[in-house]
Structures are given as structure tokens and as C-alpha cells.
Amino acid sequence: MMSTPTQTQRKEVFIVPRWAGAPHDDWYPWLGEQLQAVATEDGFDYQVHTLPMPAWDLPVIERAVRYLQEVLPAHKLNSNVYLVGHSVGCLAILHYLATIAKANPKAPQIGGVLCVAGWFSVDSPWQEVLDWMHAPIDYEAARRLIPKDKLIVLLSDDDPYTSGYQNNEQLWVERLHSQVSILPGRQHFSAQLDFDVRDAVRDLAGAISAPVLG
């Protein structure tokens, strides 16, 4: 008779979508299905929550941070919580973490953060994008809640919104000491499936240790 573990560690994964993105878009539903498919192999109970961000057709920083604080107040943070941001969702996560860290000096670190197609500037911004680009972030405060080597960034060498991906890569490293991988031909990572995203989450969770190719 095969023995089964008496207790499976739960991993809570929260996805913050791209600009105008909803829970059913892009690779978000697929990621949840994939993590469920490898849960037994990884020895984890993955719980994936794709967040229906408020008024996300025109995202507003303060509204996004307030919503994330409602979903994940400081007392719910722990080492089994993982945040996955896509595009502007990455900045929303940084603003949220910085706000939590400054208001709660004793807040515990989370398990890790994955930023997919994360940007600090885009090629042709309109006013609402400029609001996000110019808003200051306390990177040091945000980084306090992320363990060392647990901030992974995936960028593409042909993202139509950020032709200067090398500059974005440099800023992710300088500002947040991120582990950045440049993947070829992925545009804005808006496909319906993405195994690099899945494996980056598994890497953060401690299920695999193979580096993401970049």
C-alpha cells in the first residue's frame, strides 16, 4: 500500500492581471489548472486566486492598493503566500508591498513574487500610464517583504510596449535586486499558456530548482 503524506503544505498564489485583464484572460486560468496538475508531484496544495482588480480598464494606484490590502491584509501574509503580477500588475504589487511594509514594520515576509512583463516605462504612454510611471515607490520597503532570491522577473526581447527591455532589466536589478530572465519572442506574455510562468511559480514555491532560461 502506498503511503500518503499526512499534511500537504498549502501554497496561496495571487495573480494581479495586466491592464484591463480579467481572471479569465491570457494564461491565468491555465496556470491554475497546471499547478493543480503538478500539485501531487510537487507535494503542495496550490490555491490560485486571480484577482478581479477594481476598474482595471483604467487602473488607479490608490484603488489597487486599497483592494489588495482588503484581500491580503498584513496579518494574512506568510511564507506560503506568492504574488504573481502581469504588466501593470507588477507595479500594483510593489506599491501594495511598500504600503504594507511601512504601515506594519513587523509584517512577515511572503514566499516570493513573480513579475511577468513588468515595466517601469513604456514606449508610448498615455496619461493613466504616466501616472503609474511617475508615482514613487519605496523599493526598499517593498523588498523587505520579499526573501532574497525570491523576486523573479520575466521579460521578452520583443515586447511591443517596451522596446527598451534592457533598461527595464537594469532597473529591476538595481532597484529590487531581482532575478531577471529575458525570453525570446514572447511579446507581452499574453498567450493562453506559458510554461515558463508555471515553472517560475514552482521555483518560487521550492518545487523545482532549475533556472528559467534567459
Side-chain angles (χ1 to χ4, degrees):
M1 179 181 296
M2 294 181 62
S3 61
T4 56
T6 56
Q7 185 175 6
T8 302
Q9 193 172 33
R10 173 172 291 189
K11 301 290 185 178
E12 299 276 358
V13 180
F14 295 85
I15 302 173
V16 182
R18 59 167 167 81
W19 200 283
H24 59 271
D25 289 330
D26 303 345
W27 39 264
Y28 315 144
W30 175 88
L31 178 61
E33 294 168 359
Q34 282 291 310
L35 290 176
Q36 289 295 326
V38 298
T40 301
E41 175 186 344
D42 291 355
F44 298 138
D45 174 18
Y46 290 108
Q47 298 292 317
V48 180
H49 317 272
T50 304
L51 301 178
M53 299 297 290
W56 215 228
D57 287 340
L58 287 176
V60 175
I61 295 170
E62 294 78 13
R63 189 178 296 161
V65 170
R66 189 163 56 246
Y67 174 74
L68 291 173
Q69 287 179 300
E70 292 172 359
V71 173
L72 271 177
H75 71 270
K76 288 190 176 181
L77 299 184
N78 58 67
S79 61
N80 290 316
V81 170
Y82 299 85
L83 304 180
V84 178
H86 185 196
S87 189
V88 74
C90 304
L91 291 180
I93 287 172
L94 294 180
H95 279 284
Y96 156 74
L97 289 176
T99 301
I100 287 284
K102 288 189 287 186
N104 304 272
K106 295 184 179 180
Q109 289 188 324
I110 61 174
V113 174
L114 170 62
C115 289
V116 182
W119 47 264
F120 292 108
S121 64
V122 300
D123 295 343
S124 302
W126 55 95
Q127 184 55 54
E128 288 79 10
V129 176
L130 288 170
D131 292 342
W132 285 84
M133 286 172 52
H134 295 158
I137 301 174
D138 188 333
Y139 298 109
E140 183 178 349
R143 199 63 179 85
R144 284 205 304 270
L145 296 187
I146 310 171
K148 182 181 178 182
D149 300 329
K150 291 293 187 177
L151 175 50
I152 296 176
V153 180
L154 303 181
L155 304 178
S156 175
D157 65 359
D158 66 346
D159 192 314
Y161 305 110
T162 57
S163 59
Y165 67 89
Q166 299 99 330
N167 183 56
N168 266 321
E169 175 186 17
Q170 182 179 356
L171 292 175
W172 277 108
V173 173
E174 289 179 354
R175 292 174 172 176
L176 291 142
H177 311 292
S178 311
Q179 296 186 72
V180 183
S181 292
I182 307 295
L183 303 180
R186 309 304 280 278
Q187 298 194 0
H188 204 54
F189 291 86
S190 296
Q192 292 185 342
L193 64 154
D194 198 304
F195 287 99
D196 288 299
V197 172
R198 181 200 67 175
D199 287 344
V201 174
R202 297 174 72 197
D203 187 6
L204 285 174
I208 59 176
S209 57
V212 178
L213 297 178

